[in-house]
Amino acid sequence: MVIRSLLTIQEALHSLDEIRLWIENRNRSIHVSISPVPFSSLDHWSQDEDGTLRHSSGRFFSIEGIRVETDYGSLSSWTQPIINQPEVGYLGILTKEFNGVLYFLMQAKIEPGNVNCVQISPTLQATKSNYSQIHKGKQPLYLDYFVNASPDQIILDQLQSEQGARFLRKRNRNIIIKVEEDVEEHDDFRWMTLGQIKELMRYDNMVNMDTRTVLSGLKISDYLSLADDTSRLSVFGKDLLLSSVTNHCHSTISEHLSWLSSLKSRYDLKVHPFPLRKMTDWRVLAGEISREDGKYFKVVGVKVTISNREVSSWCQPLIQPMQQGICAFIIKKINGVYHFMVQAKLECGNFDVMELAPTVQCLTGNIPSSRSARPPFLDLVLESSGSQVLYDTLQSEEGGRFYHEQNRNMLVEVDDSFPLELPERYRWMTLGQIYQFLRFNNYLNIQSRSLIAALNYLS
Amino acid sequence: MVIRSLLTIQEALHSLDEIRLWIENRNRSIHVSISPVPFSSLDHWSQDEDGTLRHSSGRFFSIEGIRVETDYGSLSSWTQPIINQPEVGYLGILTKEFNGVLYFLMQAKIEPGNVNCVQISPTLQATKSNYSQIHKGKQPLYLDYFVNASPDQIILDQLQSEQGARFLRKRNRNIIIKVEEDVEEHDDFRWMTLGQIKELMRYDNMVNMDTRTVLSGLKISDYLSLADDTSRLSVFGKDLLLSSVTNHCHSTISEHLSWLSSLKSRYDLKVHPFPLRKMTDWRVLAGEISREDGKYFKVVGVKVTISNREVSSWCQPLIQPMQQGICAFIIKKINGVYHFMVQAKLECGNFDVMELAPTVQCLTGNIPSSRSARPPFLDLVLESSGSQVLYDTLQSEEGGRFYHEQNRNMLVEVDDSFPLELPERYRWMTLGQIYQFLRFNNYLNIQSRSLIAALNYLS
């Protein structure tokens, strides 16, 4: 059912072209305007004497200052703004079987920060504030299906983290449910197959981050049976399935766990509240909180106006990146089995000190000119070309919080000449091992999950 | 090797009687005196205006106040003192093979809070402050073996939590290593088999909490091969092995994970620093921090004097319980396979909101007279008798922090008439499923692990 969904692209309820046209039309017919607004004029938001930005409901999210102390990396202490949203929200996809194929009910969702207005989003994307009606808006569509889901309807249900450099210990409940009854396909929603969604991830900024994190948890090989027609899988797809089920791993899970225990014990991470207005290197201005050197990101106050069938507008803070970023996995066959080079990375907002990140995850705005000062493997990834590059697209961060933030997502294969021996914070893992970590909370970071979701099994 | 260690009790390097005598002699020859000292006179400790107690090194541990807000349970907010010790310490056991049997190098360790002076402890029990010489004492024995352990020497290496009601997000690195070279058996150390240590857990307060948490991670069935002589296993031991390897589980791991995601999303837990002196219901006196109603626990300042071959003394705060507690697993055969009834329990110091606790984990000092106000299954456990009760001993909490704190540890079997249907926070898990959660950080709480470690496979 999942496998047939993965294999079905053209002969689906809606063709791929129809879906792309639908998104393009949405993008043309909707106008999103973002205008800067001083924090003091942000409706329903207030700024206290420390500079903290809070929603008037006291819930939703806030922008706060933190002071970070750690013995990881070259900087032992710094201050920065961070998004604090302690609630666990839903990222939910509703699925249903039509003619033996599983379809995912996807939404064309407008978010103020999207580079294009509309991206393909989960059926339900709701914070606790959303669904408990803090905004006094309408109840989100399809919410009841998720709230009332019975255990046998649940395909996947995991707590997963968001960006550790931007969110303070934020997590969402990633959930996929399957229903039997008829479900209305509302205007902004379309039934899509897994294969179609993965195809759409080949395009820049088409499938939003929330969709990618939810789908990353679906371990394809779990659904494969001898009865499935695998002739349409690509050679690479078959290799991924092997990497997902094999016991021929370069290291065992116990060894990986020991490695993580050792690193998590070694590095301290202390995060304390710190007044935004007292931060070093950052300044709180009337309409933005930014660094004097122009690095990393800034917090801006905006008024969002969306003109669609009706006009709606609201104010909120958004995070605007000052630099582009890159997230890349290097993969390599070891004894015929693909292994992913995973990095244990400490980020200040991490729930559990270190998470498993892609081989390369960094900003590319101002790469140091000295090679030795650059992040490991960055040059290799940037200089890769041709058949080495298995995936290379721009993917957006969540447009509800981030303004025009996109990262280059890459998958780069290296050959036998690449050394097996890795620096201390790096390990070779099979896809099966990555999925084992993914099932349990707070191991795979969101950048890794985005890349895992994009793995394409077809030619 | 592990299995032979489990099966070897009498024909070991030291007989069980020798070991018990050794501990008894230690207890007789050592005198520990604990005298109350006002906080203002605690050497190397200071109390600030909020009432917080800190070590003069700024490290080690501190006693701080917190304010807890949660929508779990009947109390939505409270204040309490808590132990804050952000460092990850080592709880390490060194092992070595003699004649094909694995031996564990155990220590007769004095801790000020032990009800008896000496308990059987891991080879190494060291906080980062200990081993980085904050105390300016000698370097702990055998430390180098752990610091320099190579990956192939590591049998087990996990980060595990401590008591969530007493420690703020504290974790230790539980590690077992195996060495080949000759190792000196120092005065306070003895080589013991796994079977012997498990036998000693049948006695009250003989094996300390740190030993129990480390050994709980050893999944016995992982070491069983067809070549092992299993004739000495008890029927119960064989049933435990079945529960450890079977796929015949009442619910799948995915279902358990979904259940946990749902509960962790539902319940909020917010913990803020709060001045001890401003706490409601608690008072900070000259030499103790305690509740006016005498409940739960109190923090006391003590001077510890240990007279042994030499006399040593120091001052520190200790936590003294005001009530006894009980930790019990109810187990039941479902389709011939033992299942443990696990409880998802929120405690204020938990690293990740809820951990998996025993069926019953509560204080027994003042049980409400109304049955409906008592914790679920408490009456059943307290009223169990005869062959239903598979394990029933008193076990100590860590004597370095807790003064004479012991909990009744029980394993109670229920029969077919006991309903399969459970309240929402309770689930049936096989032993194999429990071990799957145990491998990953912050799932099984320390009370559960203590009971799992005590499972005895012999008659």
Side-chain angles (χ1 to χ4, degrees):
Chain A
M1 181 187 67
V2 169
I3 297 296
R4 288 181 66 184
S5 183
L6 179 73
L7 296 174
T8 301
I9 292 182
Q10 292 312 336
E11 58 284 24
L13 293 179
H14 306 285
S15 75
L16 205 57
D17 287 344
E18 268 172 62
I19 293 170
R20 291 190 54 203
L21 208 63
W22 172 66
I23 293 286
E24 279 167 23
N25 282 335
R26 289 272 142 177
N27 268 319
R28 260 197 301 273
S29 66
I30 294 165
H31 184 69
V32 176
S33 105
I34 303 287
S35 52
V37 170
F39 296 131
S40 59
S41 311
L42 276 188
D43 281 355
H44 297 298
W45 288 82
S46 65
Q47 188 169 32
D48 69 13
E49 57 193 14
D50 289 341
T52 304
L53 292 163
R54 284 200 182 80
H55 194 250
S56 57
S57 64
R59 296 180 65 177
F60 205 26
F61 70 94
S62 58
I63 305 285
E64 305 178 4
I66 55 169
R67 178 183 156 83
V68 183
E69 290 171 75
T70 179
D71 45 8
Y72 169 99
S74 53
L75 209 58
S76 66
S77 140
W78 69 88
T79 53
Q80 70 162 81
I82 201 159
I83 307 171
N84 189 1
Q85 185 169 4
E87 305 169 336
V88 175
Y90 269 114
L91 301 180
I93 301 183
L94 186 80
T95 69
K96 183 173 157 62
E97 206 176 318
F98 297 94
N99 306 319
V101 176
L102 194 68
Y103 281 79
F104 297 71
L105 187 60
M106 305 307 292
Q107 182 180 181
K109 193 165 196 301
I110 309 164
E111 291 286 5
N114 285 350
V115 288
N116 41 1
C117 317
V118 164
Q119 295 188 8
I120 293 172
S121 308
T123 321
L124 178 71
Q125 201 171 305
T127 61
K128 221 178 206 174
S129 303
N130 274 149
Y131 62 79
S132 56
Q133 305 299 297
I134 300 297
H135 299 300
K136 303 191 176 108
K138 280 186 304 181
Q139 176 164 301
L141 286 169
Y142 306 107
L143 174 66
D144 287 343
Y145 288 101
F146 293 91
V147 173
N148 303 322
S150 61
D152 60 312
Q153 290 182 312
I154 290 173
I155 291 183
L156 175 153
D157 189 358
Q158 305 168 334
L159 287 189
Q160 297 288 3
S161 58
E162 297 224 16
Q163 291 82 349
R166 304 291 176 79
F167 283 99
L168 188 61
R169 307 159 64 82
K170 169 102 173 78
R171 300 193 295 183
N172 285 309
R173 185 172 176 193
N174 288 225
I175 182 167
I176 302 179
I177 60 171
K178 177 172 179 284
V179 300
E180 300 295 326
E181 65 257 50
D182 286 344
V183 175
E184 192 180 348
E185 194 184 48
H186 285 283
D187 252 12
D188 293 330
F189 294 79
R190 287 290 182 278
W191 292 109
M192 303 178 193
T193 66
L194 182 56
Q196 289 180 322
I197 302 170
K198 279 184 173 281
E199 271 319 295
L200 294 166
M201 286 185 205
R202 298 193 198 239
Y203 297 90
D204 291 351
N205 304 311
M206 178 76 91
V207 176
N208 87 343
M209 181 53 114
D210 296 335
T211 305
R212 285 176 277 136
T213 170
V214 176
L215 292 182
S216 71
L218 266 189
K219 186 179 176 187
I220 304 298
S221 61
D222 275 357
Y223 299 94
L224 195 69
S225 84
L226 292 173
D228 285 307
D229 167 24
T230 56
S231 63
R232 291 200 47 213
L233 293 175
S234 63
V235 173
F236 180 64
K238 289 177 182 172
D239 279 342
L240 287 178
L241 289 174
L242 175 64
S243 178
S244 194
V245 299
T246 187
N247 289 322
H248 293 273
C249 309
H250 184 61
S251 308
T252 64
I253 278 280
S254 291
E255 285 164 343
H256 293 318
L257 282 166
S258 171
W259 163 75
L260 264 179
S261 295
S262 155
L263 290 172
K264 286 182 181 176
S265 306
R266 168 124 34 103
Y267 294 113
D268 280 333
L269 170 64
K270 289 180 192 160
V271 177
H272 308 282
F274 192 87
L276 286 166
R277 290 199 202 276
K278 293 197 177 147
M279 286 187 300
T280 41
D281 309 322
W282 293 80
R283 57 200 173 178
V284 179
L285 305 176
E288 70 175 52
I289 304 169
S290 56
R291 282 176 65 92
E292 280 154 31
D293 61 9
K295 277 189 184 174
Y296 308 137
F297 64 91
K298 61 183 180 185
V299 181
V300 292
V302 298
K303 176 169 182 165
V304 182
T305 307
I306 293 180
S307 324
N308 193 357
R309 285 141 296 182
E310 47 195 291
V311 176
S312 61
S313 84
W314 69 90
C315 289
Q316 70 166 86
L318 278 177
I319 305 289
Q320 179 175 349
M322 303 305 285
Q323 299 175 296
Q324 278 238 355
I326 187 169
C327 301
F329 266 124
I330 289 178
I331 64 172
K332 171 184 161 77
K333 277 196 180 169
I334 302 176
N335 297 325
V337 175
Y338 271 126
H339 282 69
F340 291 66
M341 197 204 299
V342 172
Q343 175 192 180
K345 191 173 171 69
L346 182 147
E347 294 189 292
C348 63
N350 279 355
F351 199 87
D352 189 5
V353 191
M354 302 188 105
E355 293 189 1
L356 302 175
T359 319
V360 173
Q361 177 194 322
C362 65
L363 300 170
T364 49
N366 49 348
I367 298 175
S369 56
S370 135
R371 279 198 169 233
S372 63
R374 296 182 212 167
F377 310 110
L378 174 61
D379 289 326
L380 185 151
V381 165
L382 291 178
E383 289 160 11
S384 62
S385 64
S387 62
Q388 267 196 293
V389 181
L390 302 177
Y391 184 68
D392 187 2
T393 64
L394 289 176
Q395 297 294 350
S396 294
E397 303 304 309
E398 218 272 293
R401 300 286 174 275
F402 301 107
Y403 182 72
H404 289 197
E405 173 145 27
Q406 24 182 359
N407 283 297
R408 190 171 170 195
N409 274 226
M410 292 180 77
L411 197 60
V412 174
E413 181 169 2
V414 292
D415 63 20
D416 272 359
S417 65
F418 191 92
L420 274 176
E421 196 70 31
L422 297 178
E424 192 188 20
R425 287 192 301 101
Y426 296 79
R427 303 279 287 193
W428 294 113
M429 294 189 189
T430 61
L431 189 53
Q433 293 181 325
I434 287 177
Y435 277 118
Q436 252 192 286
F437 280 111
L438 220 166
R439 287 185 96 176
F440 292 87
N441 304 338
N442 301 111
Y443 281 97
L444 265 280
N445 79 354
I446 195 166
Q447 290 86 352
S448 291
R449 300 200 310 276
S450 170
L451 281 162
I452 297 300
L455 291 175
N456 201 307
Y457 292 74
L458 308 188
S459 323
Chain B
M1 181 186 67
V2 169
I3 297 297
R4 288 181 67 183
S5 183
L6 179 74
L7 295 174
T8 301
I9 292 182
Q10 292 312 337
E11 58 284 23
L13 293 180
H14 306 285
S15 76
L16 204 57
D17 287 343
E18 269 172 61
I19 293 170
R20 290 190 55 203
L21 208 63
W22 172 66
I23 293 286
E24 279 167 24
N25 282 336
R26 289 272 142 179
N27 268 319
R28 259 198 300 273
S29 67
I30 294 165
H31 184 69
V32 176
S33 105
I34 303 286
S35 52
V37 170
F39 297 131
S40 60
S41 311
L42 277 188
D43 280 354
H44 297 297
W45 289 82
S46 64
Q47 188 169 33
D48 70 13
E49 56 193 14
D50 288 341
T52 304
L53 292 163
R54 283 200 184 80
H55 193 251
S56 56
S57 65
R59 296 180 66 178
F60 204 27
F61 70 94
S62 58
I63 305 286
E64 304 178 4
I66 55 169
R67 179 183 155 82
V68 183
E69 290 171 74
T70 179
D71 45 7
Y72 169 100
S74 53
L75 208 58
S76 66
S77 138
W78 69 89
T79 53
Q80 69 163 80
I82 201 158
I83 307 170
N84 190 1
Q85 184 169 4
E87 305 169 336
V88 175
Y90 270 114
L91 302 180
I93 301 182
L94 186 80
T95 69
K96 183 172 158 61
E97 207 176 317
F98 297 94
N99 305 320
V101 176
L102 194 68
Y103 281 79
F104 297 71
L105 187 60
M106 306 307 292
Q107 182 181 181
K109 193 166 197 301
I110 309 164
E111 291 286 5
N114 285 350
V115 289
N116 40 2
C117 316
V118 164
Q119 294 188 8
I120 293 172
S121 308
T123 321
L124 178 71
Q125 201 171 306
T127 61
K128 221 179 205 174
S129 304
N130 274 149
Y131 61 80
S132 56
Q133 305 299 297
I134 300 298
H135 299 302
K136 304 191 177 110
K138 281 186 303 181
Q139 176 164 301
L141 286 169
Y142 307 107
L143 174 66
D144 287 342
Y145 287 101
F146 293 91
V147 172
N148 302 322
S150 62
D152 60 312
Q153 291 182 311
I154 291 173
I155 292 184
L156 175 154
D157 188 359
Q158 305 168 334
L159 287 188
Q160 297 289 3
S161 58
E162 298 224 15
Q163 291 82 348
R166 304 292 175 79
F167 283 99
L168 188 61
R169 307 159 65 81
K170 169 99 173 79
R171 300 193 295 183
N172 285 310
R173 186 171 175 194
N174 289 225
I175 182 166
I176 302 179
I177 60 171
K178 177 172 178 284
V179 299
E180 300 295 327
E181 65 257 50
D182 285 343
V183 175
E184 192 179 349
E185 195 184 47
H186 284 283
D187 252 11
D188 293 331
F189 294 79
R190 288 290 182 277
W191 291 109
M192 303 179 194
T193 66
L194 182 56
Q196 289 180 321
I197 303 170
K198 279 182 174 281
E199 271 319 296
L200 294 167
M201 286 185 205
R202 298 194 198 238
Y203 296 90
D204 290 352
N205 304 312
M206 178 76 91
V207 177
N208 88 342
M209 181 54 113
D210 296 335
T211 305
R212 285 174 277 137
T213 170
V214 176
L215 292 182
S216 71
L218 265 190
K219 186 179 176 188
I220 304 297
S221 60
D222 275 357
Y223 299 94
L224 195 68
S225 84
L226 292 173
D228 286 307
D229 167 24
T230 56
S231 62
R232 292 199 46 211
L233 294 174
S234 64
V235 173
F236 180 64
K238 289 177 182 172
D239 279 342
L240 287 178
L241 289 174
L242 175 65
S243 178
S244 194
V245 299
T246 187
N247 289 322
H248 293 273
C249 309
H250 184 61
S251 308
T252 64
I253 277 280
S254 291
E255 284 164 343
H256 293 317
L257 282 166
S258 171
W259 163 75
L260 263 180
S261 295
S262 155
L263 290 172
K264 287 182 181 177
S265 307
R266 167 123 36 101
Y267 294 113
D268 281 333
L269 170 63
K270 288 179 193 161
V271 177
H272 308 282
F274 192 86
L276 286 166
R277 291 198 202 275
K278 293 196 176 147
M279 287 188 300
T280 41
D281 309 323
W282 293 79
R283 57 201 172 176
V284 179
L285 304 177
E288 69 175 53
I289 303 169
S290 56
R291 282 176 65 92
E292 280 154 30
D293 61 9
K295 278 189 183 172
Y296 308 137
F297 64 90
K298 61 183 180 185
V299 181
V300 291
V302 299
K303 175 169 182 165
V304 182
T305 307
I306 293 180
S307 324
N308 193 358
R309 284 142 296 182
E310 47 195 293
V311 176
S312 62
S313 84
W314 70 89
C315 289
Q316 70 166 86
L318 278 177
I319 306 288
Q320 179 175 349
M322 303 305 286
Q323 299 175 296
Q324 279 238 353
I326 187 168
C327 301
F329 266 124
I330 289 178
I331 64 172
K332 172 185 160 77
K333 277 196 179 167
I334 302 176
N335 297 324
V337 175
Y338 271 125
H339 282 69
F340 291 66
M341 196 203 299
V342 172
Q343 175 192 180
K345 190 171 172 70
L346 182 147
E347 294 189 293
C348 62
N350 279 355
F351 199 88
D352 189 5
V353 191
M354 302 187 106
E355 293 189 1
L356 302 176
T359 319
V360 174
Q361 177 194 321
C362 65
L363 300 170
T364 49
N366 49 348
I367 298 174
S369 56
S370 134
R371 279 199 169 232
S372 63
R374 295 182 212 168
F377 309 110
L378 174 61
D379 289 326
L380 185 150
V381 165
L382 291 178
E383 290 160 11
S384 62
S385 63
S387 62
Q388 266 196 293
V389 181
L390 302 177
Y391 184 68
D392 187 1
T393 64
L394 289 176
Q395 297 294 349
S396 294
E397 303 305 309
E398 218 272 294
R401 300 285 174 277
F402 301 107
Y403 182 72
H404 289 198
E405 173 144 27
Q406 25 182 358
N407 283 297
R408 190 171 170 195
N409 275 226
M410 292 180 76
L411 197 61
V412 174
E413 180 168 2
V414 293
D415 64 19
D416 272 359
S417 66
F418 191 93
L420 274 176
E421 196 71 31
L422 297 178
E424 193 188 19
R425 286 193 300 102
Y426 297 78
R427 304 279 287 192
W428 294 113
M429 294 189 188
T430 61
L431 189 53
Q433 292 180 325
I434 286 177
Y435 277 118
Q436 252 191 286
F437 280 111
L438 220 166
R439 286 185 97 176
F440 292 87
N441 305 337
N442 300 111
Y443 281 97
L444 264 281
N445 79 355
I446 194 166
Q447 290 86 351
S448 292
R449 300 200 310 275
S450 171
L451 282 162
I452 296 300
L455 291 175
N456 200 308
Y457 292 74
L458 309 188
S459 323

